[in-house]
Amino acid sequence: MLARPEKARLALEFAAMPLRIEPEISGVAIVLLGNFNPSIFQPFWMARQGLITDEAAAAATVSVIHPEISQFAIESEFILNVQSNRFQLSRATAPLVTVSDLCSRIFGEILPHTPINQLGINRSVHFSVGSSQERDRIGKLIAPQGPWGEWGAWQQLPKPS
């Protein structure tokens, strides 16, 4: 068993290692569960709070603004989806840390009394492996089909061409 300082050192070394391949798609989402008022989350409200520019608010792609749900995108910046019990802020372009900064400003400075019960940070990456055969080979290494019983055996049958 490694001592704590050694574990921490190895974790930092691993985190600093460059990826061998770059992901084709990359993103991050912060998800909060609590009690929210979706109808206040609008592009121009965010602009009035100094979170985005007036130009960004005017150019926002609004899907819906309603007392039960608010969803809109600020081009190349983020997608916001707020429901009465769920807040999600997503970003697919670097720097990904801006979603953390934005959430901190919204709930740390502007709406500090909002009850938040849970927090999740979801990181997603998509790597191309070149072919479906290579994808299947990697998949079988990660999740062997034997433990899946009959369904796993069905997955091992040759696919019709």
Side-chain angles (χ1 to χ4, degrees):
M1 175 115 358
L2 295 173
R4 275 186 192 233
E6 181 65 8
K7 282 183 179 178
R9 185 187 65 75
L10 290 173
L12 286 172
E13 284 181 18
F14 180 76
M17 292 173 61
L19 292 173
R20 292 186 186 141
I21 57 174
E22 288 295 317
E24 286 186 345
I25 302 169
S26 175
V28 68
I30 293 182
V31 180
L32 306 173
L33 299 182
N35 295 311
F36 306 99
N37 180 359
S39 60
I40 70 165
F41 289 95
Q42 301 183 30
F44 286 104
W45 176 83
M46 295 186 82
R48 279 195 307 275
Q49 303 305 317
L51 299 167
I52 62 174
T53 65
D54 288 335
E55 293 78 17
T61 304
V62 175
S63 299
V64 63
I65 304 290
H66 184 272
E68 296 297 319
I69 186 169
S70 181
Q71 183 173 328
F72 60 88
I74 302 297
E75 188 177 335
S76 77
E77 292 296 320
F78 61 84
I79 297 171
L80 182 67
N81 183 320
V82 184
Q83 299 169 30
S84 59
N85 63 346
R86 187 173 190 272
F87 173 98
Q88 179 173 325
L89 184 64
S90 306
R91 182 175 172 98
T93 57
L96 299 176
V97 71
T98 58
V99 295
S100 173
D101 298 340
L102 191 54
C103 277
S104 295
R105 289 203 49 217
I106 291 170
F107 296 107
E109 298 172 18
I110 300 165
L111 301 172
H113 300 295
T114 302
I116 297 172
N117 305 319
Q118 295 180 23
L119 161 78
I121 301 173
N122 303 320
R123 178 80 164 97
S124 60
V125 291
H126 173 85
F127 296 95
S128 173
V129 293
S131 70
S132 59
Q133 291 81 15
E134 184 64 6
R135 179 204 59 214
D136 291 346
R137 186 187 71 77
I138 294 169
K140 288 174 185 172
L141 287 172
I142 294 171
Q145 294 167 327
W148 295 95
E150 196 175 303
W151 185 82
W154 176 78
Q155 294 298 313
Q156 293 178 18
L157 297 175
K159 306 275 189 279
S161 40

